[in-house]
């Protein structure tokens, strides 16, 4: 429903999904990559080179720009954020080693892991698999929150700035 004074539609009562903020949708890719890297490093995982990070950010940015043109429900955006974090985790694991071993020593049932004496698979030295899962999940939730709710604070901040300039002009 459009307001007669401002011409803007109210988004508070709308149940329909909206397209993400047009030309800024590509920022979701670098944001997701940055939060994924922070999560990966916080859990003790290795970081890939800056060139790999730039390439992953660019690829995720292109995907976000393409998907940002379509109105998606919130649950789909959250699902895509989770899938992006899973892909980032695997990408960081593959490209961080430099030894060319790829996923074989990654800790998800790779070939190079031997069962320990107790019969459990040992996690690679340096990080806990559960902590890695939790921090990547937190990165997905944070990315979803920024993507879903950024237009509202940005619009509110724009109204505050325009109100200040009107007051200063008096």
């Amino acid at each position: 429903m459009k307001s007669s004074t401002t011409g803007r539609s109210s988004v508070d009562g709308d149940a329909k999904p909206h397209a993400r903020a047009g030309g800024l949708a590509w920022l979701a890719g670098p944001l997701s990559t940055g939060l994924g890297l922070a999560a990966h490093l916080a859990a003790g995982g290795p970081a890939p080179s800056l060139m790999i990070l730039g390439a992953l950010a660019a690829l995720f940015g292109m995907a976000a720009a393409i998907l940002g043109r379509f109105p998606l429900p919130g649950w789909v955006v959250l699902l895509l954020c989770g899938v992006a974090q899973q892909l980032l985790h695997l990408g960081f694991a593959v490209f961080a080693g430099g030894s060319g071993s790829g996923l074989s020593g990654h800790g998800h049932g790779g070939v190079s892991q031997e069962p320990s004496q107790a019969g459990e698979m040992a996690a690679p030295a340096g990080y806990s698999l559960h902590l890695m899962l939790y921090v990547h999940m937190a990165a997905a939730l944070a990315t979803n929150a920024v993507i879903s709710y950024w237009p509202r604070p940005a619009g509110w901040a724009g109204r505050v700035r325009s109100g200040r300039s009107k007051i200063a002009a008096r």
Side-chain angles (χ1 to χ4, degrees):
M1 165 180 296
K2 292 205 176 207
S3 168
S4 60
T5 57
T6 62
R8 295 182 185 176
S9 61
S10 66
V11 293
D12 295 330
D14 289 350
K16 295 188 323 185
H18 296 283
R20 304 296 176 246
L24 297 178
W26 68 271
L27 288 173
L31 173 71
S32 181
T33 304
L35 289 174
L37 176 65
H40 204 76
L41 293 176
S49 69
L50 288 176
M51 189 168 56
I52 297 296
L53 288 173
L56 288 171
L59 287 172
F60 279 102
M62 286 188 293
I66 291 168
L67 291 173
R69 301 179 73 194
F70 304 107
L72 299 172
W75 67 270
V76 173
V77 176
L78 180 60
L79 178 69
L80 291 172
C81 288
V83 168
Q85 286 301 315
Q86 178 67 33
L87 292 174
L88 283 168
H89 169 70
L90 293 173
F92 293 160
V94 168
F95 295 119
S99 65
S101 63
L103 287 175
S104 63
H106 179 60
H108 294 296
V111 177
S112 66
Q113 286 188 340
E114 299 289 329
S116 65
Q117 297 296 338
E120 296 180 7
M121 296 298 280
Y127 68 87
S128 163
L129 293 177
H130 290 172
L131 179 61
M132 186 69 72
L133 172 69
Y134 297 146
V135 294
H136 273 290
M137 189 181 337
L141 290 171
T143 303
N144 181 48
V146 171
I147 291 170
S148 297
Y149 299 109
W150 177 254
R152 290 180 188 156
W156 176 78
R159 287 191 299 271
V160 169
R161 278 184 294 217
S162 66
R164 287 183 186 162
S165 62
K166 288 178 185 177
I167 292 171
R170 289 183 190 177

